[in-house]
């Protein structure tokens, strides 16, 4: 880091890439970046002095940066990008942002904490950031999600304490670049078929990540059947387990290491948030409250609190810090009243099932309308039947065009589309329709929404740039 004077970030509009840019700028490094099109949501970076080119071109590197950082998604989608070619031609070093930050943080000497698994990474990391932020452990947190904080929504917290927090993203085996001391895992199910052959390959990648940890190599794991079986298969030890009573009971029947087991009891959910107790043998019970929805936040919060205790935080301070968490943007984010709008980043069949279950529990008097934008052609293709069955549990389903991310539409157009998913889902629930491109979401859907519904705008794509107009249409009334 001390040798870097100027860094250019290709794909700076990505959630994590923008955070890296902000962090480098804070460190006194000159930063520039490029994006394909102009975006209002990047103005805050420009206000910090970061030059953004709204095009990809060789001349963006005219000032010769010391390093070209990039998002793996850009590399996968456009390996012939002119900035890659120019950097190679002029021998400008290139690195993915994950490789860079992994190496830098390992050398910096902070205690690393990651949250890995198929779901729940951003939320759990955000909760842990809230717990630690005003303490001697105040972390550098770089997340793929925006935390709601008093200073405003942000995907980075630049604490000066002794820890860092990262999401252990398994796409492209990115998390192999990270070497934390503590890892939290909430969910574990086969994901990213564009990277992994099957669940066995997926599990082997996580085992590689676990084995690459440093220091105490502490695992804090939710006691799901898949995680228990994974631990048994690879014989990992020194684990702190947590879960609801029916989950921790599974551990008694298994042969896995049971260093410590914490059980979530007395769980009560209200519109204020989650109340629950964490109990373990030979430990004082912790009565906890997280002021946010939905009910699964009890699991995310339990994992975060146990990581804080592992660092040495007292029970009282952990409980106090937890109360400061107020939610994550696009993570069960309630943002309207008539109708009730909820925005959520969920993009797998499992996450759809979870969200539908939570909405049914909290808003039992309302019909549920899911507006879903699938993320990735490969994911939609490989899990088409699972998506259809998960979505069909809603009362009404509206499907937006698939967000391609790092994939090319022309390579998938004949095999999978939102129209095909709509047809498949309509066989299970006739109240399903295809609703076009995300840019048209307000115009196409404003007359198809009942003011007494709960409307969940769900997906990890770019629909968040457009659904604001839909929400505003109802707010003005």
């Amino acid at each position: 880091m001390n040798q870097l004077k100027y860094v250019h970030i290709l794909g700076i509009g990505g959630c994590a890439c923008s955070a890296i840019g902000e962090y480098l700028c804070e460190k006194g490094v000159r930063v520039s970046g490029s994006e394909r099109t102009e975006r209002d949501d990047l103005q805050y970076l420009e206000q910090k002095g970061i030059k953004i080119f709204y095009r990809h071109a060789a001349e963006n590197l005219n000032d010769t940066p010391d390093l070209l950082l990039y998002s793996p998604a850009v590399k996968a989608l456009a390996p012939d990008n002119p900035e890659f070619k120019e950097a190679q031609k002029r021998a400008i070093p290139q690195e993915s942002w994950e490789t860079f930050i992994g190496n830098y943080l390992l050398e910096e000497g902070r205690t690393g904490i990651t949250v890995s698994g198929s779901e729940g990474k951003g939320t759990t990391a955000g909760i842990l950031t809230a717990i630690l932020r005003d303490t001697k452990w105040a972390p550098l947190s770089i997340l793929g999600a925006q935390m709601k904080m008093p200073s405003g929504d942000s995907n980075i917290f630049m604490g000066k304490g002794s820890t860092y927090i990262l999401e252990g993203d398994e796409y492209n085996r990115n998390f192999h670049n990270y070497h934390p001391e503590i890892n939290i895992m909430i969910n574990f199910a086969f994901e990213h078929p564009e990277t992994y052959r099957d669940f066995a390959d997926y599990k082997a990648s996580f085992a590689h990540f676990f084995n690459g940890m440093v220091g105490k190599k502490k695992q804090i794991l939710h006691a799901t059947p898949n995680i228990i079986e994974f631990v048994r298969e690879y014989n990992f030890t020194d684990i702190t387990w947590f879960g609801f009573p029916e989950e921790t009971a599974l551990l008694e029947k298994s042969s896995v290491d049971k260093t410590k087991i914490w059980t979530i009891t007395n769980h009560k959910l209200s519109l204020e948030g989650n109340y629950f107790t964490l109990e373990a043998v030979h430990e004082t019970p912790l009565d906890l409250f997280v002021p946010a929805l939905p009910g699964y936040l009890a699991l995310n919060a339990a994992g975060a609190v146990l990581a804080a205790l592992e660092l040495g935080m007292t029970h009282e301070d952990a409980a106090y810090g937890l109360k400061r968490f107020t939610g994550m943007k696009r993570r069960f984010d309630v943002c309207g009243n008539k109708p009730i709008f909820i925005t959520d980043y969920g993009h797998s069949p499992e996450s759809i099932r979870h969200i539908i279950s939570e909405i049914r529990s909290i808003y039992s008097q309302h019909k549920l309308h899911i507006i879903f934008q699938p993320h990735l052609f490969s994911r939609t293709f490989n899990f088409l039947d699972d998506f259809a069955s998960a979505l069909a549990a809603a009362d009404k389903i509206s499907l937006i065009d698939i967000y391609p991310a790092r994939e090319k539409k022309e390579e998938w157009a004949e095999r999978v589309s939102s129209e095909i998913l709509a047809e498949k889902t309509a066989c299970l629930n006739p109240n399903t329709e295809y609703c076009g491109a995300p840019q048209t979401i307000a115009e196409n859907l404003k007359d198809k929404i009942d003011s007494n519904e709960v409307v969940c705008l769900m997906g990890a794509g770019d629909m968040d740039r457009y659904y604001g107009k839909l929400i505003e249409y109802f707010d003005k009334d």
Side-chain angles (χ1 to χ4, degrees), residues 444-457:
N444 287 349
L445 284 166
K446 65 183 182 182
D447 296 326
K448 299 177 182 179
I449 290 174
D450 188 315
S451 62
N452 293 315
E453 293 177 332
V454 173
V455 181
C456 183
L457 294 141

Side-chain angles (χ1 to χ4, degrees), residues 87-287:
Q88 186 175 16
K89 175 183 173 182
R90 292 163 51 194
I92 298 170
Q94 304 179 42
E95 273 191 322
S96 72
W97 74 262
E98 292 94 343
T99 303
F100 169 75
I101 204 67
N103 289 335
Y104 168 68
L105 292 173
L106 185 63
E107 293 170 2
E108 193 184 35
R110 298 195 195 202
T111 298
I113 307 166
T114 54
V115 186
S116 66
S118 52
E119 306 281 352
K121 295 186 284 291
T123 300
T124 305
I127 293 173
L128 184 55
T129 300
I131 293 171
L132 300 181
R133 73 183 185 209
D134 293 327
T135 72
K136 66 181 180 181
W137 298 284
L140 167 64
S141 296
I142 298 174
L143 309 182
Q146 290 193 319
M147 300 169 278
K148 293 184 176 182
M149 295 190 292
S151 57
D153 299 345
S154 180
N155 55 341
I156 184 168
F157 180 76
M158 288 184 272
K160 308 297 185 184
S162 60
T163 68
Y164 71 79
I165 300 172
L166 297 173
E167 292 183 42
D169 176 21
E170 71 273 25
Y171 162 66
N172 200 37
R173 307 180 199 271
N174 290 330
F175 60 168
H176 292 180
N177 293 295
Y178 305 154
H179 305 283
E181 287 197 32
I182 299 170
N183 177 62
I184 309 164
M185 193 151 72
I186 307 295
N187 293 298
F188 193 55
F190 180 46
E191 251 284 18
H192 292 292
E194 76 278 26
T195 296
Y196 302 101
R197 294 186 305 275
D198 50 30
F199 196 21
D201 187 27
Y202 189 76
K203 288 190 288 185
S205 185
F206 274 81
H208 179 93
F209 167 63
F210 278 27
N211 288 325
M213 292 172 66
V214 299
K216 61 176 69 178
K217 297 186 176 183
K218 183 68 179 182
Q219 300 292 343
I220 299 171
L221 306 179
H222 178 202
T224 70
N226 276 355
I227 295 177
I228 293 171
E229 175 57 25
F230 168 66
V231 167
R232 186 204 62 75
E233 183 177 346
Y234 284 92
N235 197 31
F236 289 113
T237 58
D238 192 19
I239 296 164
T240 294
W241 294 96
F242 65 94
F244 291 105
E246 63 273 18
E247 294 172 327
T248 55
L250 296 173
L251 294 166
E252 303 303 328
K253 304 173 185 177
S254 70
S255 57
V256 297
D257 170 73
K258 298 184 259 298
T259 304
K260 179 70 72 175
I261 301 173
W262 290 86
T263 302
I264 298 170
T265 62
N266 305 320
H267 182 217
K268 294 180 177 63
L269 179 66
S270 73
L271 291 178
E272 297 176 330
N274 288 264
Y275 297 85
F276 64 100
T277 302
L278 270 179
E279 298 182 6
V281 176
H282 305 309
E283 295 282 354
T284 303
L286 284 81
D287 292 320

Side-chain angles (χ1 to χ4, degrees), residues 374-385:
H375 183 268
L376 291 174
F377 296 103
S378 58
R379 179 184 285 122
T380 310
F381 178 79
N382 281 280
F383 301 118
L384 188 66
D385 289 341

Side-chain angles (χ1 to χ4, degrees), residues 330 343 441 457 463-472:
R330 291 185 76 182
T343 66
I441 189 170
L457 294 141
M463 67 190 297
D464 61 311
R465 298 187 200 173
Y466 310 105
Y467 57 48
K469 291 183 179 179
L470 181 64
I471 296 171
E472 288 171 8

Side-chain angles (χ1 to χ4, degrees), residues 409-420:
K409 180 178 180 178
E410 58 270 22
E411 295 177 359
W412 290 91
E414 295 184 4
R415 287 183 284 173
V416 69
S417 65
S418 286
E419 294 99 312
I420 292 172

